[in-house]
Amino acid sequence: MSYLKTKTPRIREKRLDTLNAWLGPAKSAVGEFAGDEAVQRIRTFSQSTNDDVLHALRILSRIENSVTVIHAPRGCAAGALYHKLALGQGNWLVTNLDQKDTIMGADRKLRKAVTSAHRTYRPEVLFILSSPVAAINNDDIQAVVDELQDELELPVIPVFVTGFASRNAVTGYDIVLHSILRQLVRGREAGERNGRVNLLSVTEHRADIQEITRLLTALGLELNILPDHATPGSFVQATGARLSLSLNQDAENYLGTVLRDEYGVPYQAPGRPVGIEATGQWLVAAGKAAGLEQAAAELHRQESARIGRELGDFSLSGVRVYLSLPPGMAFSVASLVEEFGGEIAGITVSHLDVLHKARLEDIASRHPSLQIHVADGQPFEELNILRRIGPDLYIGDGNHLGQVGRLGIPVVSLEHSRLLGYDGTLILCRRISVVLKNRSFGQRLASVALPYKESWLQRSPNWHIKKEVK
Amino acid sequence: MSYHIDGSRNSCALHGALQLIEAIEGAVPVIHSNAGCGLQHYLGVNRLGPGTDPYGGPPVSSSNITEKHVVFGGSSRLREQLKNTVKVVEGELYFIVSGCSTEMVGDDIPAMTKEGLDQSFPVVYANTPGFRGAVHQGYELAAKALIEQLPSLSKDKPEQAENLVNIWGIIPHQDPFWAGNLEELGRLLEGIGLRPNLLVGYGHGPEDWRCVPDAVLNIVVSVWGEAPARLLEERYGTPFLVVEGLPVGPAAGRLLRAVTDLLGLDASRTERFVEAEEKRLDRQLSGLADTFYRAGFQREFALVGESSQVVGLGEFLTRSLGLLPRTLIVTDNPTDEARSVIKERLAALVEDWDAEVFFSEDHAEISDLVVSGGATLVLGSALEGKAAETLGVPFLPVSFPLADRVVIDRGYAGYRGVAALLEDLGSAILARPHQ
């Protein structure tokens, strides 16, 4: 059991050579992953962005019948309040650490919070989320886990995020998935072979999960969806599945890898099912792995004919599109844009790692000088780039779309929006049609000044990206 | 000693400081902490009181410290971040705020600020780690920093304004209607010949803060405005007036009369002004009367919010609209001393009627209290929506956090606020006809 022995998985930088600061043409991006170890870069100016705590909160809010005790001062729970209200999910408590706790430690307070959470919600599983303060203070969370797990007779899962150990927030997804597997399935034999297919889904839109379920069920597959809306039982069942199917490698690669390497569940990771062609390819790859290639191809023929009729003469011909998305999303939406005749004007990805090597090589072979920008957030760089490129359309899921709008560029947000499968494609194309047809909001917004100095916008956008001095 | 909280609506001191700084036009927060602190604030505060984000996204500068800085200290990273913020981000005043990690590591924030000042950067700082308290303490810390550090920042003082009055205690976002409430209070004070200094919101920048010492009076609209008012009394001898909750309707008239008295203003002018406002309110209420009776506005209500909201809205609902308070829950953790005053005020809202008054910020507890109270109308935050649903009664979200409302310049304070409140409350009641 090599993966699950340690308290936390290796951070993304170490495990997948993940970069979070880079700018250059596609052809050079490929070269970054040619050597033994990618060269890390840092920023000498930065803006607030995601960290592993926020990504962990995102994924935990979707585990069914669970409650999370956030072992932190109040502010670390703000993101959880957002999930609770905006998405209507996630029960949580915060231990509300104060100054004294940062000196004396707060194990007792944690124990009380866990007991109280259990009393209020009677959950099937309870998570304890660490935090910067708990990490620096070295609070003994494991001792509380060991003690209360027996007493309360339910799995208590510690999630050791820190907010600073990794520059890549996706490490937070790895940590949660690692912690769940470590606590629920480590040391067990693989679950009984159950013929199900694990659909690996991390923070996907509910309607997207329904669309994919609709397609795979039509093929006659029985699904075990996780970690979105999963229960503890889903993880145990996952070890005996016939196959794991990826929806977005960036987020669930760790889960697929561990299930494959430790429990022998094959892991299929085709690109995301975004756009008609890619959905077809994804479906065929899924069908093939399950021995249902013919049926999948037939389903694709029917569905693509239906969507084709509904889309009518939708085209992106002559439209230059800028994408700012997590890498797996960005590359799949890029394919969709090209499928409808559009041109990719540039791409910002939240991170980049060895998982994207093949996609990068493909892009570099067709558009060697296409500019790739690696930044999670960092709108100061992105706006500098956008002003130079002047695209006709911007598709992104960041928190700074309000700034992008001030450049007068039509914006389509992919945050909490449907995207996957045939229906997702249809919905996205309709949204694009609307924003391209009427640009008045952006034109109006263009008269609002950007928060940045003109002298910065004149500078090279990679000015603040430097090689790390160790 | 602090306790764990279920579904806390009160975020941390760092976020409270950011709420104030972001609402000052031209002030740029520079966060010295983990990457996530600023985004937590954006998601869990800005987005839950929507429509008023000044930057079009999360705060524009954050040092995003990593393991290296936790182990070896992050002061030099802050030095670099401050220098580059001044080069990249447009601003008149740069405001360093620290998070938990950098405070636990012991980074020297004052020294880094001084280095910035030596290079002629307009910079101030506040130590605001989340573990120092809730948003309310963060607001106090940031206001204190501005009061103490701004005077030495610039030699040339703005021209002294006559009859200037500062307004304290309305925390941007934590009062979702902060902008509208302040504008209305400003309008009313102007009506009696004063120059209101609102300090935050559209058109209010560091220049307004530099005028703070010149004020003839500090008006304190919530318990959280008392600390800055006391500090100003101590430093400049400025008197302050504490208002009993957010002034809604007739309470606003009472405030204007008290200010007139205190400052020796033209009393007949004030009377004329207040009478005109009252007359307009009479007209609005009489116009609403038919609907009021038909839809059964007179209900027993639950009200959940910050102390100033519960006192202010509670007073108007009971004394002008004839509703009965069933469950009143104060969520902003006032001091024990303030609690007894608030409790007394709330208990006396309706003669021979004991409203149940609670102090809590625990979502599970508040929901239980609202449901078991059995009110026939619920006013609260979005977190109380489910309790209202359980009771099957009309629900109006009025306090932080909001989820399904956009607020730009709506407010419930003063006389204009009454119309907004009646519109919203009436619509909520009409959407769920009388049982």
Side-chain angles (χ1 to χ4, degrees):
Chain A
M1 294 275 162
S2 55
Y3 285 96
L4 303 177
K5 249 191 256 163
T6 52
K7 206 167 90 163
T8 53
R10 289 195 298 158
I11 60 172
R12 277 281 172 121
E13 288 91 323
K14 300 256 191 293
R15 187 167 76 85
L16 296 172
D17 271 354
T18 307
L19 304 178
N20 91 323
W22 194 81
L23 181 74
K27 60 175 190 284
S28 315
V30 177
E32 289 294 317
F33 303 105
D36 288 343
E37 196 184 338
V39 178
Q40 292 290 335
R41 289 169 181 79
I42 54 166
R43 286 190 168 84
T44 56
F45 172 76
S46 53
Q47 295 171 286
S48 43
T49 182
N50 287 293
D51 63 2
D52 57 356
V53 178
L54 276 158
H55 269 49
L57 285 173
R58 220 162 256 145
I59 202 169
L60 289 176
S61 73
R62 293 167 201 238
I63 307 283
E64 297 290 325
N65 307 329
S66 75
V67 54
T68 300
V69 173
I70 302 163
H71 190 37
R74 301 156 172 273
C76 292
L81 183 65
Y82 175 72
H83 295 309
K84 192 179 184 86
L85 288 172
L87 307 172
Q89 52 203 10
N91 293 316
W92 54 269
L93 279 74
V94 60
T95 48
N96 183 21
L97 301 180
D98 63 16
Q99 190 133 25
K100 202 172 135 213
D101 299 322
T102 67
I103 301 159
M104 313 290 287
D107 299 348
R108 242 187 88 219
K109 202 175 257 182
L110 176 60
R111 208 168 285 129
K112 274 181 127 171
V114 170
T115 316
S116 166
H118 178 254
R119 204 173 40 239
T120 307
Y121 294 100
R122 298 281 159 196
E124 249 186 275
V125 57
L126 200 148
F127 295 98
I128 297 175
L129 188 73
S130 182
S131 65
V133 169
I136 294 173
N137 227 16
N138 212 5
D139 277 3
D140 196 351
I141 296 176
Q142 191 62 47
V144 176
V145 169
D146 293 340
E147 184 190 320
L148 290 181
Q149 194 154 240
D150 291 339
E151 192 183 313
L152 304 176
E153 295 177 342
L154 90 163
V156 178
I157 303 182
V159 180
F160 294 103
V161 289
T162 63
F164 52 75
S166 168
R167 285 201 187 85
N168 291 285
V170 281
T171 294
Y173 288 153
D174 292 0
I175 295 175
V176 172
L177 296 169
H178 174 94
S179 311
I180 294 176
L181 292 173
R182 182 172 148 87
Q183 203 79 354
L184 293 181
V185 306
R186 181 168 72 128
R188 287 198 187 196
E189 293 293 306
E192 202 179 316
R193 291 285 144 193
N194 52 43
R196 286 179 182 254
V197 170
N198 296 326
L199 180 66
L200 307 187
S201 164
V202 174
T203 68
E204 300 287 358
H205 195 285
R206 251 179 212 275
D208 276 347
I209 298 175
Q210 278 163 10
E211 164 75 350
I212 296 302
T213 305
R214 175 181 76 87
L215 296 171
L216 295 177
T217 313
L219 289 181
L221 295 177
E222 266 193 90
L223 301 182
N224 177 36
I225 302 170
L226 72 164
D228 281 346
H229 316 300
T231 62
S234 317
F235 290 90
V236 177
Q237 203 175 47
T239 59
R242 69 199 271 197
L243 169 73
S244 293
L245 204 49
S246 161
L247 276 179
N248 181 8
Q249 261 217 92
D250 289 337
E252 28 74 343
N253 159 276
Y254 190 80
L255 180 57
T257 306
V258 175
L259 289 173
R260 181 192 64 206
D261 295 354
E262 311 254 327
Y263 294 95
V265 181
Y267 175 41
Q268 274 287 318
R272 270 166 82 71
V274 173
I276 299 171
E277 281 314 306
T279 299
Q281 284 160 16
W282 185 88
L283 206 51
V284 168
K288 201 173 184 174
L292 297 161
E293 203 176 354
Q294 288 290 315
E298 177 52 32
L299 183 60
H300 173 60
R301 261 193 300 281
Q302 288 169 15
E303 288 285 328
S304 55
R306 173 175 73 88
I307 297 300
R309 277 195 304 276
E310 295 210 42
L311 277 174
D313 58 357
F314 175 80
S315 163
L316 289 173
S317 172
V319 180
R320 297 171 64 245
V321 186
Y322 195 91
L323 303 174
S324 176
L325 294 161
M329 288 268 272
F331 296 133
S332 56
V333 176
S335 302
L336 178 144
V337 168
E338 291 185 325
E339 180 176 1
F340 290 102
E343 184 193 329
I344 301 299
I347 301 180
T348 294
V349 287
S350 55
H351 67 275
L352 202 58
D353 58 37
V354 293
L355 296 177
H356 311 112
K357 230 169 137 179
R359 291 308 290 262
L360 278 176
E361 277 162 6
D362 169 55
I363 288 179
S365 70
R366 290 181 294 120
H367 315 288
S369 56
L370 178 77
Q371 186 169 276
I372 309 264
H373 173 222
V374 185
D376 193 350
Q378 314 313 320
F380 78 108
E381 285 174 1
E382 197 177 286
L383 266 73
N384 183 324
I385 293 167
L386 287 169
R387 265 216 342 185
R388 287 158 203 268
I389 292 180
D392 305 311
L393 173 67
Y394 175 99
I395 302 177
D397 73 344
N399 302 296
H400 55 271
L401 303 188
Q403 289 184 28
V404 175
R406 294 184 195 179
L407 293 171
I409 304 166
V411 170
V412 170
S413 165
L414 291 187
E415 190 182 352
H416 306 317
S417 0
R418 297 184 59 178
L419 177 68
L420 299 186
Y422 301 100
D423 287 346
T425 302
L426 187 62
I427 286 164
L428 177 60
C429 291
R430 285 208 174 132
R431 293 179 63 204
I432 292 174
S433 299
V434 173
V435 305
L436 288 178
K437 194 79 197 163
N438 190 340
R439 301 169 186 231
S440 61
F441 184 70
Q443 281 160 358
R444 173 75 215 207
L445 221 53
S447 59
V448 182
L450 294 175
Y452 310 112
K453 289 192 168 156
E454 187 55 34
S455 54
W456 158 248
L457 297 167
Q458 299 291 344
R459 276 214 159 134
S460 159
N462 66 354
W463 183 270
H464 288 290
I465 300 177
K466 313 276 184 206
K467 278 198 180 154
E468 185 172 19
V469 186
K470 284 205 175 155
Chain B
M1 169 85 186
S2 64
Y3 298 94
H4 64 259
I5 312 160
D6 178 297
S8 167
R9 68 195 69 204
N10 296 318
S11 197
C12 68
L14 170 65
H15 293 171
L18 287 171
Q19 279 164 248
L20 177 59
I21 300 163
E22 284 185 22
I24 301 169
E25 275 195 5
V28 173
V30 180
I31 302 171
H32 185 40
S33 194
N34 307 84
C37 291
L39 192 49
Q40 289 266 14
H41 173 251
Y42 180 70
L43 293 175
V45 184
N46 286 17
R47 273 196 177 178
L48 298 177
T52 41
D53 174 48
Y55 303 114
V60 291
S61 172
S62 170
S63 61
N64 298 359
I65 57 148
T66 57
E67 188 133 23
K68 183 171 79 179
H69 308 112
V70 171
V71 177
F72 301 107
S75 295
S76 61
R77 174 71 193 98
L78 174 59
R79 178 188 293 127
E80 175 183 69
Q81 180 71 12
L82 175 66
K83 184 187 78 188
N84 289 329
T85 302
V86 173
K87 284 183 187 158
V88 173
V89 185
E90 203 66 77
E92 291 169 45
L93 177 70
Y94 298 85
F95 197 140
I96 300 173
V97 280
S98 52
C100 298
S101 308
T102 55
E103 289 289 341
M104 287 176 81
V105 167
D107 285 356
D108 195 344
I109 317 288
M112 291 302 115
T113 307
K114 184 161 182 311
E115 277 192 21
L117 288 169
D118 291 344
Q119 293 177 70
S120 310
F121 299 156
V123 55
V124 295
Y125 78 95
N127 300 98
T128 53
F131 56 71
R132 265 187 93 168
V135 279
H136 311 95
Q137 282 75 45
Y139 169 86
E140 290 177 336
L141 289 168
K144 179 168 183 271
L146 287 167
I147 291 168
E148 288 179 344
Q149 296 170 46
L150 270 186
S152 57
L153 205 60
S154 167
K155 297 281 168 294
D156 40 314
K157 269 194 72 180
E159 219 173 288
Q160 195 153 339
E162 273 187 34
N163 280 343
L164 192 72
V165 177
N166 304 318
I167 303 178
W168 300 98
I170 292 184
I171 305 179
H173 282 99
Q174 197 67 16
D175 174 359
F177 304 93
W178 63 278
N181 285 343
L182 278 169
E183 295 265 334
E184 169 66 358
L185 292 179
R187 183 186 73 86
L188 295 174
L189 292 170
E190 260 172 38
I192 61 167
L194 294 171
R195 232 203 82 194
N197 194 9
L198 306 184
L199 300 169
V200 287
Y202 180 67
H204 301 293
E207 200 75 348
D208 297 271
W209 283 82
R210 299 235 300 274
C211 298
V212 160
D214 302 335
V216 291
L217 178 69
N218 287 304
I219 296 181
V220 175
V221 194
S222 83
V223 291
W224 309 112
E226 285 191 30
R230 279 185 205 287
L231 180 62
L232 287 165
E233 184 188 47
E234 195 182 294
R235 286 176 81 105
Y236 302 105
T238 322
F240 64 89
L241 175 69
V242 179
V243 183
E244 298 182 1
L246 189 73
V248 182
R254 208 165 63 226
L255 165 67
L256 295 183
R257 289 182 180 121
V259 172
T260 303
D261 233 25
L262 196 72
L263 296 178
L265 303 177
D266 178 354
S268 60
R269 176 184 175 171
T270 300
E271 276 317 305
R272 279 197 306 279
F273 182 75
V274 171
E275 266 169 41
E277 295 287 329
E278 285 283 340
K279 250 188 149 157
R280 190 186 153 95
L281 178 57
D282 285 343
R283 175 64 202 270
Q284 289 172 337
L285 291 174
S286 56
L288 179 72
D290 173 59
T291 309
F292 181 93
Y293 296 126
R294 180 166 47 85
F297 274 43
Q298 265 182 292
R299 293 168 185 239
E300 294 170 62
F301 65 94
L303 174 56
V304 184
E306 304 242 310
S307 48
S308 68
Q309 285 181 311
V310 174
V311 172
L313 294 175
E315 179 186 320
F316 180 77
L317 293 176
T318 52
R319 297 204 173 151
S320 294
L321 287 191
L323 277 66
L324 281 182
R326 170 65 64 182
T327 313
L328 302 174
I329 304 175
V330 174
T331 58
D332 57 348
N333 277 321
T335 58
D336 288 343
E337 196 187 338
R339 274 176 205 222
S340 55
V341 178
I342 291 165
K343 201 159 181 171
E344 221 166 273
R345 275 179 205 160
L346 292 175
L349 283 178
V350 181
E351 220 175 303
D352 298 327
W353 174 267
D354 283 329
E356 288 200 275
V357 181
F358 304 95
F359 294 86
S360 175
E361 55 176 332
D362 189 281
H363 172 49
E365 186 184 26
I366 291 171
S367 297
D368 287 349
L369 289 171
V370 171
V371 171
S372 65
T376 49
L377 168 70
V378 176
L379 297 94
S381 79
L383 289 166
E384 278 68 65
K386 272 209 180 116
E389 202 59 50
T390 308
L391 289 168
V393 301
F395 169 59
L396 179 64
V398 296
S399 50
F400 179 86
L402 299 180
D404 304 323
R405 287 194 75 167
V406 173
V407 179
I408 295 173
D409 63 3
R410 202 165 191 71
Y412 292 148
Y415 285 96
R416 295 271 163 91
V418 169
L421 179 61
L422 291 175
E423 286 169 7
D424 295 344
L425 188 66
S427 304
I429 290 174
L430 288 179
R432 237 181 210 285
H434 210 23
Q435 310 91 318

